[in-house]
Amino acid sequence: CCSNMESSGTPSCEQSDKSKRYDRQLRLWGDHGQSSLECGHVCLINASAAGTELLKSLVLPGVGAVTIVDDAKVTPTDVGNNFFVDSDSIGRPRGEVALRLLLELNQDVHGTFVEQPLQEILDNQPDFFTPFTCVVVTCLPECTLLMLSKILWEAHVPLVVVRSYGMIGYIRVQIEEHAVVESHPESEMPDLRLDRPFSALQKYMDSLDLESMDNKEHSHVPYVVILYKYLQLWNQQHGAPPKNYKERKAFIELCKTGMREKENNEPEENFEEAVKAVNTSLLPTSIPSGVQSILNKAASITPSPTTKPFWIMARALHEFVTSEGRGALPVRGTIPDMTADSEKYIKIQNLYREQAAQDADWVLRRVQELSQQLGPRKIVPSLDNDVRTFCKNSHALRVVKGKSITEEYKGSINLGEIGYSK
């Protein structure tokens, strides 16, 4: 019996089988990451041992498609160092043999083989590489590599150069700009907004009276409520939230004054959780410097039809921060686990989720408005999900800038020999 459902409402065995097959990697990069991988088309130039091992690591998790460009024939040397050729294939096209064995690893991956000299493609079909998500190259002469580098840089196609020397490996990535939305930081502070609660959250927590609760109800109040209540009391006494170690220690003692003993004379678990969460939950709501730099750049960009979707969303996010967000990023919409009765925990959880949805809706509307101003653009079916993912991860956005391999070689060789022009 299949428990997963398609959009039509019917069970999908295929979806279930896929989830089982890719279970470990889905835990690592989630459905969105898997979808991005399955939409990818990687081109490998030269099916060397390093190249085929790299493709293997993409075929197994389910990359959408691979293309191998290689005009070499299988030699006895290849048989001795490449797992994806065998002795029976000596003299046959190396790329064709390697592709056949690679595709046996995953029936969902599509593949093509091009037995054409790379130099011939560069000379006569420079647009050949434009459709690829990424191009990987191994064992390429320097001059040919620089020509390829120039073509891919101008086409905005990432290039990965790989080479191995026995136990030593080399990898060089050429990419103009790589925007990271889902960075999955190993440790991140919860986004509780206790220093500046949004209206619905504040209204609900103000409606709760800890003093009037019986012991059972009191011991199951979510610690976010406890911190909020005692933060209000602290602010009345000191005028501002605790800022340093000494003040946080005093705040902890203040929280402990409201702790009751349970029937077994043990302290309340929810208050103990509140005390442990002081250092992570009472941090001021702020925008990380790296994210602020991205917002500053987005504010200076005049959107055009060629502007990348990331920067359209960043521009909308900047406008949200300066208006609706009142200087803060959208609410993430997630809260930690905590000792609480189901009713109160679910209520608070829903409040954060609803606020996150409202914030993302604002950004989404602005993205749509900016896109419409740019004239006809290709409709992106996943725009809604993309914007919500963008807002949820807005606290950890990153942009990695690079430069071309050709640029690095300036001054060290005569670039005129490879057709380079300023």
Side-chain angles (χ1 to χ4, degrees):
C1 177
C2 299
S3 58
N4 292 312
M5 307 289 286
E6 296 280 15
S7 58
S8 62
T10 57
S12 171
C13 291
E14 180 183 355
Q15 187 177 17
S16 177
D17 291 342
K18 179 178 173 182
S19 297
K20 292 176 182 178
R21 186 188 316 162
Y22 298 136
D23 176 68
R24 296 183 68 180
Q25 64 204 50
L26 284 169
R27 297 185 190 189
L28 177 63
W29 53 58
D31 292 335
H32 190 255
Q34 184 64 26
S35 176
S36 297
L37 180 66
E38 292 172 1
C39 291
H41 188 169
V42 177
C43 175
L44 170 67
I45 298 174
N46 293 330
S48 64
T52 53
E53 284 297 315
L54 187 148
L55 272 195
K56 179 196 73 174
S57 297
L58 293 174
V59 169
L60 285 173
V63 69
V66 296
T67 292
I68 296 179
V69 176
D70 193 347
D71 63 335
K73 306 295 184 182
V74 177
T75 66
T77 301
D78 292 320
V79 175
N81 63 21
N82 193 331
F83 285 112
F84 292 93
V85 297
D86 52 40
S87 57
D88 293 337
S89 60
I90 292 177
R92 294 177 56 197
R94 184 173 63 176
E96 182 182 36
V97 173
L99 181 65
R100 176 177 57 81
L101 294 177
L102 282 164
L103 295 183
E104 288 181 1
L105 299 176
N106 193 332
Q107 61 183 5
D108 293 335
V109 179
H110 302 285
T112 55
F113 159 61
V114 177
E115 190 181 10
Q116 186 177 0
L118 175 61
Q119 190 62 53
E120 188 177 300
I121 295 175
L122 294 175
D123 292 338
N124 303 318
Q125 302 171 258
D127 294 337
F128 172 85
F129 299 100
T130 304
F132 296 114
T133 308
C134 174
V135 174
V136 180
V137 60
T138 69
C139 306
L140 207 61
E142 190 173 79
C143 288
T144 307
L145 172 62
L146 291 173
M147 184 178 292
L148 176 66
S149 161
K150 178 177 179 292
I151 290 173
L152 294 180
W153 181 263
E154 293 173 351
H156 308 291
V157 176
L159 168 65
V160 180
V161 183
V162 179
R163 188 177 287 271
S164 63
Y165 307 88
M167 299 298 291
I168 300 174
Y170 164 88
I171 183 169
R172 166 67 166 88
V173 179
Q174 172 185 280
I175 190 166
E176 183 179 0
E177 178 183 276
H178 179 58
V180 182
V181 175
E182 296 176 271
S183 58
H184 301 287
E186 292 184 2
S187 60
E188 60 181 18
M189 303 304 175
D191 180 30
L192 299 180
R193 307 288 173 108
L194 294 179
D195 61 326
R196 46 180 301 166
F198 47 91
S199 178
L201 179 66
Q202 183 174 2
K203 182 178 179 180
Y204 174 70
M205 293 200 289
D206 283 341
S207 70
L208 300 177
D209 182 4
L210 298 182
E211 297 299 325
S212 64
M213 294 180 181
D214 59 35
N215 288 345
K216 181 178 179 180
E217 187 178 11
H218 191 268
S219 65
H220 288 85
V221 174
Y223 78 70
V224 65
V225 176
I226 297 171
L227 291 177
Y228 170 80
K229 290 291 188 181
Y230 284 94
L231 182 60
Q232 303 311 301
L233 180 59
W234 173 276
N235 289 342
Q236 292 173 10
Q237 297 173 355
H238 300 85
K243 298 183 180 64
N244 51 47
Y245 172 77
K246 183 178 179 181
E247 291 183 355
R248 284 195 292 270
K249 188 174 181 181
F251 178 78
I252 288 174
E253 294 304 318
L254 177 63
C255 291
K256 288 181 177 179
T257 62
M259 187 183 298
R260 301 178 187 176
E261 288 189 353
K262 297 192 294 187
E263 293 180 359
N264 54 7
N265 296 323
E266 292 182 357
E268 294 174 304
E269 293 178 5
N270 55 341
F271 271 78
E272 288 189 320
E273 287 181 351
V275 167
K276 292 178 181 177
V278 165
N279 289 330
T280 58
S281 300
L282 292 189
L283 294 175
T285 301
S286 61
I287 300 177
S289 59
V291 176
Q292 186 61 61
S293 296
I294 292 174
L295 297 182
N296 292 341
K297 179 177 178 180
S300 65
I301 291 176
T302 301
S304 70
T306 59
T307 303
K308 294 179 180 179
F310 175 89
W311 290 108
I312 297 291
M313 291 189 287
R315 175 62 181 266
L317 179 64
H318 165 74
E319 295 180 13
F320 172 87
V321 169
T322 57
S323 57
E324 185 74 10
R326 296 181 294 116
L329 296 170
V331 172
R332 265 178 260 166
T334 56
I335 61 174
D337 291 333
M338 55 190 74
T339 299
D341 64 69
S342 298
E343 181 182 354
K344 288 187 178 65
Y345 182 80
I346 293 174
K347 173 64 177 178
I348 291 176
Q349 187 179 55
N350 287 338
L351 288 173
Y352 279 99
R353 286 177 176 173
E354 290 164 6
Q355 186 61 44
Q358 290 178 28
D359 292 350
D361 284 342
W362 194 101
V363 177
L364 175 61
R365 287 194 299 272
R366 189 61 187 131
V367 169
Q368 292 170 333
E369 291 170 357
L370 290 170
S371 298
Q372 291 171 358
Q373 293 172 12
L374 301 177
R377 290 174 66 113
K378 182 179 179 180
I379 298 176
V380 181
S382 62
L383 179 61
D384 189 305
N385 288 334
D386 288 346
V387 171
R388 295 187 188 283
T389 299
F390 186 86
C391 290
K392 181 179 179 180
N393 295 278
S394 60
H395 63 290
L397 298 176
R398 292 179 59 200
V399 174
V400 180
K401 304 288 286 187
K403 60 181 180 180
S404 71
I405 296 175
T406 305
E407 182 73 17
E408 293 180 351
Y409 272 75
K410 274 186 177 180
S412 62
I413 62 171
N414 182 2
L415 293 173
E417 295 178 358
I418 61 166
Y420 177 83
S421 60
K422 292 184 179 180

